[in-house]
Amino acid sequence: MTLMKDKIVSLADKLIRVKGFNAFSYKDIADPLSVKNAAVHYHFPSKADLGIAVVMGEMQRFQHNTRLWRQLPEDEQLAHLFDVFRRHCHAGNVCLMGSLAPDYETLTPPMQEKINEMAEAIVEWVTAVLENGRKNKRLHFKGAAGDRALLVISNLQSSLLLARVMGTDTFDRISRQLLEDLRS
Amino acid sequence: MTLMKDKIVSLADKLIRVKGFNAFSYKDIADPLSVKNAAVHYHFPSKADLGIAVVMGEMQRFQHNTRLWRQLPEDEQLAHLFDVFRRHCHAGNVCLMGSLAPDYETLTPPMQEKINEMAEAIVEWVTAVLENGRKNKRLHFKGAAGDRALLVISNLQSSLLLARVMGTDTFDRISRQLLEDLRS
DNA sequence: TTGCTTACTTACTAGTAAGTAAGTATTTTG
DNA sequence: CAAAATACTTACTTACTAGTAAGTAAGCAA
């Protein structure tokens, strides 16, 4: 767990969320950390390696968070997820999926694969929470839980994108509506 | 109405939707059209000029379509909009907003401005359709029409992104769910 | 037919991209 | 204490980027 390695991943994560994967360079990482671009290549030989590390970092945070929330009622677990996105919104970030999906066709197959894994992990978790929440009468919706999960994720992702163009209250308007729909 | 100029815009539109604005170059446009990159610069001095032309083209198509649909019942107007997105989905495209929003911070202010205009035009139209549809009992939903419009647009946008990563049926699952929610 | 405009090409610049080979200082290990 | 691994730097390459300056061929206009 080198310090520098973590700093590189963390900065790359931020750059992907703010500028997009194809719009940042190794220089954008090396300069703020006061190292040379070759130092970044030492830790991550190719840009795809760095991209994969960023996605894996996000997956670990997601797993860590959802474990912390496991004991809570399902509507509160969902509210916590919304809150993660809200914080990103106010930091001017979009979510990793929202940033990487448009660039998907320009990425290497191994990186595409990691993005697929991340997407499936999130869908799986939201589906389970919705399904259990409906059983416990804490959440109410029509149709299959899997389909509804896609709708929820799609909204969270896209409201961050819209918020960037139309202002941060866009996120709150969408997510409030969405959470109210599920609670009543 | 030069032929070449239209071909350039049309190809740029496709490239933005498939690879993203920062991932294509003038060469990607010049080569398939069998001209030199300077020819592209002749028509569009800077890449931002080209980007603006693409956004304006999309706005014109949107205006043209919505005018054609004006006489239809609101739920059918909405279904037509969904269909435009469905066709993009099956062509492997994401929508312009979905592609340009992640890159927003890397774009020039004039181009950001044009994207804002496009977003506002779409939100305005969907809001009006939802509002009228609720009056005519053809659409049913809770909350403000403007908030609901954001939710609808957010879903259309994001389901194209998710479809790219998780397969095209993702789009259909989300949009069916969404349209059923509004119709019942 | 002279002159202007349109739509390019040719040939180039300056800058930046990812990536690498070889060297070095520092720490770790047998 | 010597060897080897770690974490870099220096210096470089190759390839591509947006963008430009100058020239040209074809068509139209007075």
Side-chain angles (χ1 to χ4, degrees):
Chain A
M1 302 305 166
T2 330
L3 280 156
M4 185 58 67
K5 202 165 180 175
D6 289 345
K7 282 182 195 166
I8 291 170
V9 173
S10 158
L11 192 50
D13 180 283
K14 179 71 182 174
L15 284 164
I16 290 174
R17 291 179 199 266
V18 173
K19 304 180 62 177
F21 187 76
N22 288 319
F24 81 89
S25 71
Y26 273 41
K27 193 176 189 302
D28 295 325
I29 289 176
D31 285 357
L33 297 179
S34 304
V35 293
K36 303 297 160 181
N37 96 63
V40 183
H41 278 286
Y42 169 74
H43 291 290
F44 302 97
S46 81
K47 204 179 174 184
D49 295 324
L50 178 51
I52 287 170
V54 168
V55 174
M56 285 175 71
E58 174 74 355
M59 285 173 77
Q60 270 170 19
R61 275 191 301 273
F62 180 74
Q63 234 173 7
H64 175 80
N65 280 332
T66 52
R67 265 182 204 158
L68 285 180
W69 306 335
R70 202 163 25 179
Q71 310 295 333
L72 299 172
E74 286 79 10
D75 58 326
E76 284 182 35
Q77 290 191 48
L78 219 51
H80 267 103
L81 182 70
F82 278 52
D83 213 56
V84 170
F85 277 78
R86 178 172 297 112
R87 278 196 294 270
H88 274 304
C89 181
H90 289 287
N93 298 338
V94 301
C95 71
L96 269 189
M97 274 289 298
S99 175
L100 294 175
D103 298 339
Y104 192 76
E105 301 295 330
T106 72
L107 307 175
T108 62
M111 198 173 159
Q112 292 181 340
E113 183 53 37
K114 263 281 164 284
I115 295 172
N116 292 353
E117 280 177 35
M118 177 174 64
E120 266 165 48
I122 297 172
V123 171
E124 208 170 283
W125 182 82
V126 175
T127 302
V129 167
L130 287 178
E131 207 147 27
N132 294 329
R134 181 152 63 175
K135 262 188 226 144
N136 303 347
K137 311 269 186 200
R138 309 221 30 140
L139 296 171
H140 311 271
F141 58 89
K142 285 174 286 183
D147 293 356
R148 187 62 56 171
L150 288 177
L151 205 131
V152 168
I153 292 160
S154 146
N155 266 300
L156 285 173
Q157 183 176 302
S158 192
S159 54
L160 287 184
L161 296 175
L162 284 178
R164 169 164 292 172
V165 177
M166 304 185 63
T168 52
D169 77 301
T170 309
F171 174 85
D172 295 308
R173 287 169 68 193
I174 294 173
S175 61
R176 195 187 321 117
Q177 190 81 240
L178 188 62
L179 213 52
E180 271 170 27
D181 283 359
L182 288 167
R183 276 179 162 151
S184 61
Chain B
M1 297 292 176
T2 330
L3 280 157
M4 185 56 68
K5 202 165 180 174
D6 288 345
K7 282 183 195 165
I8 291 169
V9 172
S10 157
L11 192 49
D13 180 283
K14 180 70 183 175
L15 284 165
I16 290 173
R17 291 179 199 267
V18 174
K19 301 180 65 177
F21 187 76
N22 288 319
F24 81 88
S25 73
Y26 272 42
K27 194 175 189 299
D28 295 325
I29 289 177
D31 285 357
L33 298 179
S34 304
V35 294
K36 302 295 160 184
N37 96 65
V40 184
H41 278 286
Y42 169 74
H43 291 289
F44 302 97
S46 80
K47 203 178 174 185
D49 296 323
L50 178 52
I52 287 170
V54 168
V55 174
M56 285 175 70
E58 173 74 354
M59 285 174 76
Q60 270 169 19
R61 274 191 302 273
F62 179 72
Q63 232 173 9
H64 175 79
N65 280 332
T66 52
R67 265 182 205 158
L68 285 180
W69 306 334
R70 204 164 23 181
Q71 310 296 333
L72 299 173
E74 287 78 12
D75 57 326
E76 285 181 35
Q77 290 191 48
L78 220 51
H80 268 103
L81 181 70
F82 277 52
D83 213 55
V84 170
F85 278 78
R86 178 172 297 111
R87 278 195 295 270
H88 274 305
C89 181
H90 288 287
N93 297 339
V94 301
C95 72
L96 269 189
M97 274 290 297
S99 175
L100 294 174
D103 298 338
Y104 192 75
E105 301 294 330
T106 72
L107 307 175
T108 63
M111 197 173 161
Q112 291 180 342
E113 183 53 38
K114 263 283 163 286
I115 295 172
N116 292 353
E117 280 177 36
M118 177 173 65
E120 266 165 48
I122 297 173
V123 171
E124 208 170 283
W125 182 83
V126 175
T127 301
V129 168
L130 287 178
E131 208 147 26
N132 294 329
R134 181 152 62 174
K135 264 188 225 145
N136 302 347
K137 313 268 185 201
R138 310 221 29 140
L139 297 171
H140 311 270
F141 57 90
K142 285 173 286 182
D147 292 356
R148 187 62 57 173
L150 288 177
L151 205 131
V152 168
I153 292 160
S154 145
N155 265 300
L156 284 173
Q157 183 176 302
S158 191
S159 54
L160 287 185
L161 296 175
L162 283 178
R164 171 163 290 173
V165 177
M166 303 185 63
T168 51
D169 78 302
T170 309
F171 175 84
D172 295 308
R173 288 169 68 192
I174 293 174
S175 60
R176 194 187 323 115
Q177 190 81 238
L178 188 61
L179 213 52
E180 271 171 26
D181 283 359
L182 287 166
R183 277 181 161 149
S184 61

